[in-house]
Amino acid sequence: MTASVSLYRWEILRKPPPLSKGDRIAVVSVAGVVDQRQMEAGMKVVEELGWIPVAWEGCFDEVDGYAGTDARRADRLLSAWEDPSVQGIWCSRGGYGSMRMLPHIDFDRLRLRPKMLMGFSDITALHAAIYRHCRMVTFHGPMITTLPETTDEARRWMQAMLSGAKDQTLSIASAVILHPGKVVGPLFVGNLATLCHLQGTPYAPNLDGHILILEDIGESWHRVDRMFVQLHLSGMLKRVGGILLGSFRDCGAFPERILRAAEEIGGALDIPVAAGLPVGHQEDNRTLPNGILGEWDSEARSLRLLETATAV
């Protein structure tokens, strides 16, 4: 097991090994029912990137709208995680269902073998729980079923990060600065609604000192506002170092109200807040690692990763 200590001494990170060409990637269904043609198209992209995708047991199961029972989906995740021939795990799709698995996951067993885990949106439930209970780096990025629509630039960025690239910087000239500032802290990237639903459970992450990067889809502006207020009033954001917004696709006819809600929190906490990051439900969905130290600079409009996301 490889561990590294960040500048935040309370947080010991377990980093997964980097991926190499020819590594086997288990495609695991942990949430909603998967369309086979969409998954096969995504697996073809994985092959083009130089890895070997393996459709894991039960990928196309269907039980009450989920890809199997909660316990069975958790068992599949664990079996792929503990398989020594598998170097990474890619979630086939999100939707809803990952949070239902959490009581069935043995985090002590996951902790023993750091491994690449990729997904976003509903997969935030897994990212958060693994981060809290295992202090392990996981990756917020495209699902297998969204890979075919992901831009070439986003794929290159992802491939470099999973292969152990250093000094990656995401420059966002079009970023909207809602509250200026510069901050260094570990990243946590996730879906706003899912993060709200985890609040008050044993799986919510400690976000003290973190640069929190949020995305969502299909929520009206007043629901987004309510979720921001909930996180703020709950104290979850009390010691957050900065808030960055990714894509909020199909979130009502008044996107400026979402920006205003984030701006109000930034002002109340006196922390940097910005919007417009290429993260979430969009074609340019950049992969970002949870737990890795980053630096957000509103003047430069850039997010710089200060350490590699993998063990080597």
Side-chain angles (χ1 to χ4, degrees), residues 51-72:
W51 304 311
I52 302 173
V54 180
W56 211 247
E57 175 192 359
C59 260
F60 306 110
D61 285 358
E62 181 173 356
V63 177
D64 297 329
Y66 306 110
T69 65
D70 300 336
R72 285 294 295 133

Side-chain angles (χ1 to χ4, degrees), residues 191-252:
N191 176 265
L192 174 60
T194 305
L195 195 60
C196 279
H197 296 152
L198 289 174
Q199 178 61 14
T201 74
Y203 308 105
N206 182 339
L207 298 176
D208 289 1
H210 285 62
I211 300 173
L212 178 60
I213 304 173
L214 297 168
E215 55 86 16
D216 218 317
I217 185 173
E219 302 283 356
S220 63
W221 70 264
H222 67 277
R223 288 178 180 172
V224 174
D225 181 276
R226 183 167 59 211
M227 287 187 277
F228 276 127
V229 172
Q230 178 190 353
L231 290 183
H232 184 38
L233 294 180
S234 73
M236 197 173 192
L237 304 180
K238 187 176 181 180
R239 295 184 178 85
V240 164
I243 298 174
L244 307 177
L245 304 185
S247 170
F248 277 73
R249 180 175 141 197
D250 300 331
C251 286

Side-chain angles (χ1 to χ4, degrees), residues 2-6 13-18 136-139 160-168 187 288-294 304-312:
T2 302
S4 67
V5 182
S6 77
L13 283 178
R14 293 172 174 85
K15 296 182 179 183
M136 190 180 299
V137 174
T138 59
F139 297 87
M161 178 170 296
L162 298 181
S163 301
K166 300 178 181 179
D167 303 322
Q168 286 190 277
L187 307 182
L288 289 173
N290 288 311
I292 294 301
L293 279 177
R304 184 163 65 98
L305 302 186
L306 302 179
E307 55 180 323
T308 61
T310 61
V312 178

Side-chain angles (χ1 to χ4, degrees), residues 30-294:
V30 297
V33 177
V34 181
D35 181 280
Q36 186 168 348
R37 283 186 292 183
Q38 286 183 330
M39 183 167 139
E40 288 173 350
M43 291 173 69
K44 184 177 180 180
V45 176
V46 175
E47 291 176 348
E48 293 169 353
L49 292 170
W51 304 311
I52 302 173
V54 180
W56 211 247
E57 175 192 359
C59 260
F60 306 110
D61 285 358
E62 181 173 356
V63 177
D64 297 329
Y66 306 110
T69 65
D70 300 336
R72 285 294 295 133
R73 284 180 282 122
D75 285 344
R76 288 186 212 128
L77 175 66
L78 188 58
S79 69
W81 200 286
E82 293 187 325
D83 190 319
S85 73
V86 169
Q87 285 73 48
I89 297 173
W90 216 310
C91 297
S92 61
R93 64 155 293 179
Y96 172 65
S98 298
M99 187 165 65
R100 297 178 58 92
M101 294 169 46
L102 299 182
H104 301 279
I105 296 175
D106 187 336
F107 292 99
D108 289 336
R109 291 167 68 182
L110 295 188
R111 192 182 299 113
L112 295 175
R113 188 189 297 271
K115 190 165 285 189
M116 185 278 287
L117 174 70
M118 174 76 76
F120 78 111
S121 197
D122 180 68
I123 310 304
T124 296
L126 290 179
H127 292 315
I130 291 172
Y131 189 48
R132 173 164 175 170
H133 289 278
C134 302
R135 289 298 176 206
M136 190 180 299
V137 174
T138 59
F139 297 87
H140 182 283
M143 254 91 68
I144 286 291
T145 51
T146 67
L147 261 181
E149 63 191 40
T150 304
T151 63
D152 290 340
E153 192 170 359
R155 293 180 194 178
R156 286 191 293 269
W157 168 275
M158 174 184 67
Q159 188 175 35
M161 178 170 296
L162 298 181
S163 301
K166 300 178 181 179
D167 303 322
Q168 286 190 277
T169 298
L170 191 56
S171 297
I172 312 107
S174 60
V176 179
I177 307 303
L178 302 173
H179 201 265
K182 185 175 182 178
V183 59
V184 173
L187 307 182
F188 187 83
V189 196
N191 176 265
L192 174 60
T194 305
L195 195 60
C196 279
H197 296 152
L198 289 174
Q199 178 61 14
T201 74
Y203 308 105
N206 182 339
L207 298 176
D208 289 1
H210 285 62
I211 300 173
L212 178 60
I213 304 173
L214 297 168
E215 55 86 16
D216 218 317
I217 185 173
E219 302 283 356
S220 63
W221 70 264
H222 67 277
R223 288 178 180 172
V224 174
D225 181 276
R226 183 167 59 211
M227 287 187 277
F228 276 127
V229 172
Q230 178 190 353
L231 290 183
H232 184 38
L233 294 180
S234 73
M236 197 173 192
L237 304 180
K238 187 176 181 180
R239 295 184 178 85
V240 164
I243 298 174
L244 307 177
L245 304 185
S247 170
F248 277 73
R249 180 175 141 197
D250 300 331
C251 286
F254 302 99
E256 68 277 4
R257 301 293 293 270
I258 294 175
L259 299 185
R260 189 186 306 169
E263 183 179 12
E264 288 174 353
I265 291 177
L269 299 176
D270 193 24
I271 58 174
V273 179
L277 268 71
V279 173
H281 294 81
Q282 59 182 38
E283 292 181 355
D284 191 19
N285 182 11
R286 301 301 179 93
T287 300
L288 289 173
N290 288 311
I292 294 301
L293 279 177

